[in-house]
Short mmCIF file of all heavy atoms in Angstrom, two decimals:
data_model
loop_
_atom_site.label_atom_id
_atom_site.label_comp_id
_atom_site.label_asym_id
_atom_site.label_seq_id
_atom_site.Cartn_x
_atom_site.Cartn_y
_atom_site.Cartn_z
N MET W 14 -34.46 49.32 146.54
CA MET W 14 -35.67 48.73 145.88
C MET W 14 -36.69 48.84 147.04
O MET W 14 -36.44 48.57 148.14
CB MET W 14 -35.46 47.32 145.43
CG MET W 14 -36.74 46.75 144.67
SD MET W 14 -36.41 45.20 143.92
CE MET W 14 -35.28 45.66 142.64
N VAL W 15 -38.00 49.21 146.68
CA VAL W 15 -39.03 49.34 147.60
C VAL W 15 -40.03 48.15 147.43
O VAL W 15 -40.45 47.85 146.29
CB VAL W 15 -39.73 50.72 147.54
CG1 VAL W 15 -41.00 50.67 148.50
CG2 VAL W 15 -38.88 51.80 147.83
N PHE W 16 -40.48 47.61 148.49
CA PHE W 16 -41.46 46.52 148.49
C PHE W 16 -42.68 46.80 149.30
O PHE W 16 -42.55 47.48 150.35
CB PHE W 16 -40.93 45.16 149.01
CG PHE W 16 -39.86 44.52 148.17
CD1 PHE W 16 -38.47 44.89 148.32
CD2 PHE W 16 -40.20 43.66 147.11
CE1 PHE W 16 -37.58 44.30 147.60
CE2 PHE W 16 -39.24 43.11 146.35
CZ PHE W 16 -37.93 43.50 146.54
N SER W 17 -43.82 46.49 148.85
CA SER W 17 -45.08 46.63 149.71
C SER W 17 -45.51 45.15 150.11
O SER W 17 -45.56 44.18 149.33
CB SER W 17 -46.24 47.11 148.80
OG SER W 17 -47.39 47.10 149.37
N ILE W 18 -45.63 45.09 151.46
CA ILE W 18 -45.96 43.74 152.12
C ILE W 18 -47.50 43.92 152.56
O ILE W 18 -47.81 44.77 153.33
CB ILE W 18 -45.10 43.44 153.27
CG1 ILE W 18 -43.65 43.38 152.76
CG2 ILE W 18 -45.51 42.15 153.88
CD1 ILE W 18 -42.61 43.37 153.77
N GLU W 19 -48.37 43.07 152.08
CA GLU W 19 -49.82 43.17 152.38
C GLU W 19 -50.26 41.82 152.81
O GLU W 19 -50.68 41.01 151.96
CB GLU W 19 -50.45 43.75 151.20
CG GLU W 19 -50.03 45.13 150.73
CD GLU W 19 -50.67 45.58 149.54
OE1 GLU W 19 -51.71 44.93 149.07
OE2 GLU W 19 -50.22 46.63 149.00
N LEU W 20 -50.25 41.63 154.12
CA LEU W 20 -50.78 40.38 154.68
C LEU W 20 -52.31 40.45 155.00
O LEU W 20 -52.69 41.46 155.46
CB LEU W 20 -50.11 40.01 156.03
CG LEU W 20 -48.46 39.95 155.87
CD1 LEU W 20 -47.84 39.78 157.18
CD2 LEU W 20 -48.09 38.83 154.91
N GLY W 21 -53.00 39.38 154.90
CA GLY W 21 -54.44 39.40 155.20
C GLY W 21 -55.00 38.09 155.63
O GLY W 21 -54.60 37.11 155.06
N ILE W 22 -55.89 38.19 156.57
CA ILE W 22 -56.64 36.97 156.98
C ILE W 22 -58.08 37.32 156.98
O ILE W 22 -58.50 38.31 157.61
CB ILE W 22 -56.17 36.51 158.41
CG1 ILE W 22 -54.68 36.18 158.46
CG2 ILE W 22 -57.00 35.33 158.89
CD1 ILE W 22 -54.12 35.91 159.79
N TYR W 23 -58.89 36.52 156.43
CA TYR W 23 -60.36 36.79 156.37
C TYR W 23 -61.18 35.48 156.62
O TYR W 23 -60.83 34.42 156.09
CB TYR W 23 -60.65 37.22 154.95
CG TYR W 23 -59.91 38.55 154.55
CD1 TYR W 23 -58.76 38.47 153.77
CD2 TYR W 23 -60.41 39.79 154.97
CE1 TYR W 23 -58.03 39.50 153.48
CE2 TYR W 23 -59.69 40.83 154.57
CZ TYR W 23 -58.47 40.86 153.92
OH TYR W 23 -57.87 41.90 153.49
N LEU W 24 -62.16 35.70 157.52
CA LEU W 24 -63.05 34.60 157.74
C LEU W 24 -64.39 35.20 157.18
O LEU W 24 -65.01 36.15 157.66
CB LEU W 24 -63.28 34.33 159.24
CG LEU W 24 -62.01 33.82 159.95
CD1 LEU W 24 -62.31 33.73 161.44
CD2 LEU W 24 -61.48 32.57 159.34
N THR W 25 -64.78 34.63 155.95
CA THR W 25 -66.03 35.07 155.30
C THR W 25 -67.21 35.35 156.18
O THR W 25 -67.68 34.46 156.79
CB THR W 25 -66.35 34.16 154.11
OG1 THR W 25 -65.13 34.01 153.35
CG2 THR W 25 -67.36 34.68 153.27
N GLY W 26 -67.78 36.60 156.09
CA GLY W 26 -68.93 36.93 156.84
C GLY W 26 -68.75 37.10 158.31
O GLY W 26 -69.70 37.38 158.98
N LYS W 27 -67.55 37.02 158.78
CA LYS W 27 -67.25 37.11 160.22
C LYS W 27 -66.23 38.30 160.59
O LYS W 27 -66.63 39.25 161.22
CB LYS W 27 -66.69 35.82 160.81
CG LYS W 27 -67.72 34.72 160.79
CD LYS W 27 -67.29 33.47 161.39
CE LYS W 27 -68.29 32.36 161.33
NZ LYS W 27 -67.77 31.20 162.00
N ILE W 28 -64.99 38.16 160.05
CA ILE W 28 -63.98 39.16 160.43
C ILE W 28 -62.84 39.17 159.46
O ILE W 28 -62.66 38.18 158.75
CB ILE W 28 -63.53 38.83 161.85
CG1 ILE W 28 -62.73 40.04 162.49
CG2 ILE W 28 -62.65 37.52 161.90
CD1 ILE W 28 -62.36 39.85 163.99
N GLY W 29 -62.09 40.29 159.43
CA GLY W 29 -61.01 40.29 158.48
C GLY W 29 -59.87 41.15 159.13
O GLY W 29 -60.16 42.10 159.99
N LEU W 30 -58.69 40.83 158.87
CA LEU W 30 -57.47 41.57 159.29
C LEU W 30 -56.58 41.81 158.22
O LEU W 30 -56.35 40.86 157.44
CB LEU W 30 -56.76 40.77 160.42
CG LEU W 30 -55.41 41.24 160.84
CD1 LEU W 30 -55.49 42.53 161.62
CD2 LEU W 30 -54.68 40.22 161.69
N ARG W 31 -56.09 42.96 158.00
CA ARG W 31 -55.18 43.21 156.92
C ARG W 31 -54.01 44.12 157.46
O ARG W 31 -54.26 45.23 158.15
CB ARG W 31 -55.79 43.87 155.73
CG ARG W 31 -54.86 44.13 154.62
CD ARG W 31 -55.72 44.53 153.33
NE ARG W 31 -54.85 44.54 152.19
CZ ARG W 31 -54.64 43.51 151.42
NH1 ARG W 31 -55.33 42.38 151.56
NH2 ARG W 31 -53.86 43.66 150.28
N MET W 32 -52.78 43.81 157.22
CA MET W 32 -51.74 44.63 157.64
C MET W 32 -50.88 45.02 156.36
O MET W 32 -50.60 44.10 155.56
CB MET W 32 -50.70 43.92 158.57
CG MET W 32 -51.29 43.64 159.93
SD MET W 32 -50.23 42.63 161.01
CE MET W 32 -48.67 43.25 160.75
N GLU W 33 -50.66 46.31 156.18
CA GLU W 33 -49.84 46.66 155.00
C GLU W 33 -48.66 47.45 155.44
O GLU W 33 -48.72 48.30 156.40
CB GLU W 33 -50.74 47.61 154.13
CG GLU W 33 -52.00 46.93 153.61
CD GLU W 33 -52.85 47.79 152.81
OE1 GLU W 33 -52.42 48.93 152.49
OE2 GLU W 33 -54.05 47.36 152.50
N ASP W 34 -47.54 47.26 154.76
CA ASP W 34 -46.30 47.98 155.20
C ASP W 34 -45.44 48.06 153.95
O ASP W 34 -45.64 47.30 152.90
CB ASP W 34 -45.49 47.06 156.09
CG ASP W 34 -44.47 47.82 156.92
OD1 ASP W 34 -44.27 49.04 156.65
OD2 ASP W 34 -43.78 47.26 157.75
N SER W 35 -44.53 49.07 153.96
CA SER W 35 -43.62 49.20 152.84
C SER W 35 -42.24 49.19 153.44
O SER W 35 -41.94 49.81 154.51
CB SER W 35 -43.84 50.56 152.11
OG SER W 35 -45.06 50.69 151.56
N VAL W 36 -41.31 48.59 152.74
CA VAL W 36 -39.94 48.46 153.23
C VAL W 36 -38.98 48.76 152.02
O VAL W 36 -39.38 48.64 150.93
CB VAL W 36 -39.56 47.15 153.82
CG1 VAL W 36 -40.28 46.82 155.02
CG2 VAL W 36 -39.69 46.03 152.77
N VAL W 37 -37.89 49.33 152.40
CA VAL W 37 -36.88 49.69 151.41
C VAL W 37 -35.63 48.76 151.69
O VAL W 37 -35.31 48.54 152.80
CB VAL W 37 -36.39 51.19 151.43
CG1 VAL W 37 -35.78 51.54 152.69
CG2 VAL W 37 -35.46 51.34 150.24
N VAL W 38 -35.18 48.08 150.62
CA VAL W 38 -34.06 47.17 150.76
C VAL W 38 -32.77 47.79 150.05
O VAL W 38 -32.93 48.20 148.89
CB VAL W 38 -34.39 45.77 150.06
CG1 VAL W 38 -33.16 44.83 150.18
CG2 VAL W 38 -35.53 45.22 150.73
N THR W 39 -31.72 47.79 150.81
CA THR W 39 -30.55 48.38 150.22
C THR W 39 -29.37 47.34 150.35
O THR W 39 -29.57 46.28 150.84
CB THR W 39 -30.08 49.72 150.94
OG1 THR W 39 -29.70 49.37 152.32
CG2 THR W 39 -31.20 50.72 150.93
N GLU W 40 -28.22 47.75 149.89
CA GLU W 40 -27.08 46.76 150.16
C GLU W 40 -26.74 46.57 151.57
O GLU W 40 -26.12 45.55 151.97
CB GLU W 40 -25.80 47.35 149.41
CG GLU W 40 -26.01 47.32 147.80
CD GLU W 40 -24.77 47.89 147.19
OE1 GLU W 40 -23.77 48.15 147.84
OE2 GLU W 40 -24.87 48.01 145.96
N ASP W 41 -27.15 47.50 152.45
CA ASP W 41 -26.80 47.40 153.86
C ASP W 41 -27.94 46.73 154.74
O ASP W 41 -27.72 46.49 155.87
CB ASP W 41 -26.57 48.83 154.44
CG ASP W 41 -25.40 49.44 153.83
OD1 ASP W 41 -24.43 48.77 153.44
OD2 ASP W 41 -25.45 50.68 153.63
N GLY W 42 -28.97 46.41 154.13
CA GLY W 42 -30.13 45.80 154.90
C GLY W 42 -31.50 46.36 154.34
O GLY W 42 -31.65 46.70 153.17
N TRP W 43 -32.39 46.53 155.38
CA TRP W 43 -33.73 47.07 155.01
C TRP W 43 -34.26 47.82 156.24
O TRP W 43 -33.73 47.76 157.33
CB TRP W 43 -34.71 45.87 154.75
CG TRP W 43 -34.93 44.87 155.96
CD1 TRP W 43 -34.08 43.94 156.34
CD2 TRP W 43 -35.93 45.00 156.89
NE1 TRP W 43 -34.60 43.31 157.39
CE2 TRP W 43 -35.79 44.04 157.80
CE3 TRP W 43 -36.96 45.79 157.07
CZ2 TRP W 43 -36.52 43.75 158.87
CZ3 TRP W 43 -37.93 45.64 158.05
CH2 TRP W 43 -37.57 44.58 159.00
N ARG W 44 -35.24 48.60 155.85
CA ARG W 44 -35.99 49.40 156.89
C ARG W 44 -37.37 49.68 156.54
O ARG W 44 -37.72 49.75 155.42
CB ARG W 44 -35.23 50.73 157.17
CG ARG W 44 -35.29 51.71 156.09
CD ARG W 44 -34.48 53.02 156.48
NE ARG W 44 -34.29 53.82 155.28
CZ ARG W 44 -35.18 54.78 154.88
NH1 ARG W 44 -36.19 55.02 155.63
NH2 ARG W 44 -34.94 55.51 153.83
N HIS W 45 -38.21 49.86 157.62
CA HIS W 45 -39.66 50.13 157.33
C HIS W 45 -39.87 51.64 156.94
O HIS W 45 -39.07 52.49 157.35
CB HIS W 45 -40.39 50.05 158.76
CG HIS W 45 -40.48 48.66 159.21
ND1 HIS W 45 -41.43 47.79 158.86
CD2 HIS W 45 -39.73 48.00 160.13
CE1 HIS W 45 -41.26 46.67 159.57
NE2 HIS W 45 -40.23 46.80 160.23
N LEU W 46 -40.72 51.81 156.01
CA LEU W 46 -41.10 53.20 155.59
C LEU W 46 -42.31 53.71 156.30
O LEU W 46 -42.44 54.87 156.35
CB LEU W 46 -41.23 53.21 154.03
CG LEU W 46 -40.05 52.92 153.26
CD1 LEU W 46 -40.35 52.95 151.73
CD2 LEU W 46 -38.93 53.92 153.51
N THR W 47 -43.21 52.74 156.67
CA THR W 47 -44.48 53.26 157.15
C THR W 47 -44.49 53.27 158.73
O THR W 47 -45.39 53.78 159.31
CB THR W 47 -45.63 52.25 156.71
OG1 THR W 47 -45.26 50.91 157.05
CG2 THR W 47 -45.89 52.42 155.27
N GLY W 48 -43.58 52.74 159.48
CA GLY W 48 -43.50 52.85 160.90
C GLY W 48 -44.58 52.12 161.68
O GLY W 48 -45.08 52.63 162.74
N LEU W 49 -45.04 50.97 161.11
CA LEU W 49 -46.12 50.17 161.71
C LEU W 49 -45.60 49.70 163.14
O LEU W 49 -44.41 49.32 163.31
CB LEU W 49 -46.52 49.05 160.95
CG LEU W 49 -47.47 49.35 159.76
CD1 LEU W 49 -47.67 48.00 159.06
CD2 LEU W 49 -48.76 49.86 160.25
N ASN W 50 -46.54 49.60 164.18
CA ASN W 50 -46.16 48.88 165.40
C ASN W 50 -46.67 47.50 165.15
O ASN W 50 -47.86 47.26 164.81
CB ASN W 50 -47.04 49.63 166.54
CG ASN W 50 -46.81 49.06 167.84
OD1 ASN W 50 -46.32 47.88 167.98
ND2 ASN W 50 -47.23 49.75 168.83
N TYR W 51 -45.77 46.54 165.44
CA TYR W 51 -46.17 45.14 165.17
C TYR W 51 -46.59 44.41 166.44
O TYR W 51 -46.68 43.18 166.49
CB TYR W 51 -44.93 44.46 164.54
CG TYR W 51 -44.74 44.80 163.15
CD1 TYR W 51 -43.78 45.76 162.81
CD2 TYR W 51 -45.54 44.27 162.25
CE1 TYR W 51 -43.65 46.11 161.48
CE2 TYR W 51 -45.37 44.58 160.83
CZ TYR W 51 -44.46 45.44 160.51
OH TYR W 51 -44.30 45.88 159.22
N ASP W 52 -46.86 45.13 167.51
CA ASP W 52 -47.51 44.55 168.66
C ASP W 52 -48.82 43.96 168.34
O ASP W 52 -49.58 44.76 167.79
CB ASP W 52 -47.66 45.51 169.85
CG ASP W 52 -46.21 45.87 170.44
OD1 ASP W 52 -45.24 45.20 170.13
OD2 ASP W 52 -46.14 46.92 171.04
N LEU W 53 -49.16 42.79 168.68
CA LEU W 53 -50.52 42.22 168.40
C LEU W 53 -51.47 42.44 169.53
O LEU W 53 -51.19 42.13 170.69
CB LEU W 53 -50.35 40.73 168.07
CG LEU W 53 -51.61 40.05 167.75
CD1 LEU W 53 -52.33 40.52 166.58
CD2 LEU W 53 -51.40 38.49 167.72
N ILE W 54 -52.60 43.08 169.21
CA ILE W 54 -53.57 43.30 170.21
C ILE W 54 -54.75 42.37 169.82
O ILE W 54 -55.36 42.53 168.77
CB ILE W 54 -54.07 44.76 170.33
CG1 ILE W 54 -52.82 45.71 170.60
CG2 ILE W 54 -55.18 44.92 171.24
CD1 ILE W 54 -53.07 47.09 170.45
N VAL W 55 -55.13 41.56 170.77
CA VAL W 55 -56.35 40.63 170.52
C VAL W 55 -57.41 41.00 171.34
O VAL W 55 -57.30 41.18 172.50
CB VAL W 55 -55.90 39.15 170.89
CG1 VAL W 55 -57.14 38.32 170.68
CG2 VAL W 55 -54.67 38.66 170.03
N LYS W 56 -58.67 41.20 170.75
CA LYS W 56 -59.77 41.65 171.40
C LYS W 56 -60.88 40.52 171.19
O LYS W 56 -60.98 39.99 170.14
CB LYS W 56 -60.41 42.96 170.86
CG LYS W 56 -59.35 44.07 171.18
CD LYS W 56 -59.98 45.42 170.74
CE LYS W 56 -59.00 46.54 171.03
NZ LYS W 56 -59.51 47.92 170.71
N ALA W 57 -61.71 40.41 172.17
CA ALA W 57 -62.81 39.41 172.02
C ALA W 57 -63.78 39.93 171.03
O ALA W 57 -64.08 41.07 170.92
CB ALA W 57 -63.61 39.24 173.40
N CYS W 58 -64.33 39.01 170.26
CA CYS W 58 -65.27 39.35 169.18
C CYS W 58 -66.43 38.34 169.11
O CYS W 58 -66.27 37.19 169.05
CB CYS W 58 -64.52 39.29 167.81
SG CYS W 58 -65.63 39.74 166.47
N LYS W 59 -67.62 38.81 169.40
CA LYS W 59 -68.76 37.87 169.38
C LYS W 59 -69.07 37.18 168.09
O LYS W 59 -69.64 36.18 168.02
CB LYS W 59 -70.11 38.69 169.87
CG LYS W 59 -70.00 39.25 171.32
CD LYS W 59 -71.27 39.90 171.58
CE LYS W 59 -71.14 40.43 173.00
NZ LYS W 59 -72.42 41.19 173.44
N ALA W 60 -68.53 37.79 166.93
CA ALA W 60 -68.79 37.26 165.68
C ALA W 60 -68.08 35.81 165.50
O ALA W 60 -68.39 35.03 164.61
CB ALA W 60 -68.37 38.23 164.56
N LEU W 61 -66.97 35.63 166.37
CA LEU W 61 -66.32 34.37 166.12
C LEU W 61 -66.98 33.31 166.97
O LEU W 61 -66.87 32.17 166.90
CB LEU W 61 -64.82 34.50 166.61
CG LEU W 61 -63.96 35.55 165.75
CD1 LEU W 61 -62.65 35.66 166.41
CD2 LEU W 61 -63.85 34.90 164.40
#
């Protein structure tokens, strides 16, 4: 079975972040289909 995971955080009128990923779940476990890098990179933003 394949699932789409779509997380999002939005500050109205300021900034938004959305991460989308697809995973396949089998009897043996699960694996990523899109190969996203989950390292978080934080950058300074004057809008905040």
Side-chain angles (χ1 to χ4, degrees):
M14 187 172 290
V15 176
F16 291 91
S17 175
I18 302 167
E19 301 178 9
L20 307 172
I22 299 172
Y23 301 95
L24 300 175
T25 304
K27 294 184 180 183
I28 195 169
L30 168 71
R31 185 170 187 93
M32 290 177 39
E33 299 179 10
D34 198 0
S35 296
V36 296
V37 62
V38 178
T39 67
E40 291 180 6
D41 298 325
W43 63 276
R44 67 182 169 89
H45 293 272
L46 296 178
T47 53
L49 284 175
N50 179 347
Y51 287 99
D52 293 340
L53 178 63
I54 300 172
V55 178
K56 296 184 179 183
C58 179
K59 292 181 181 181
L61 296 175

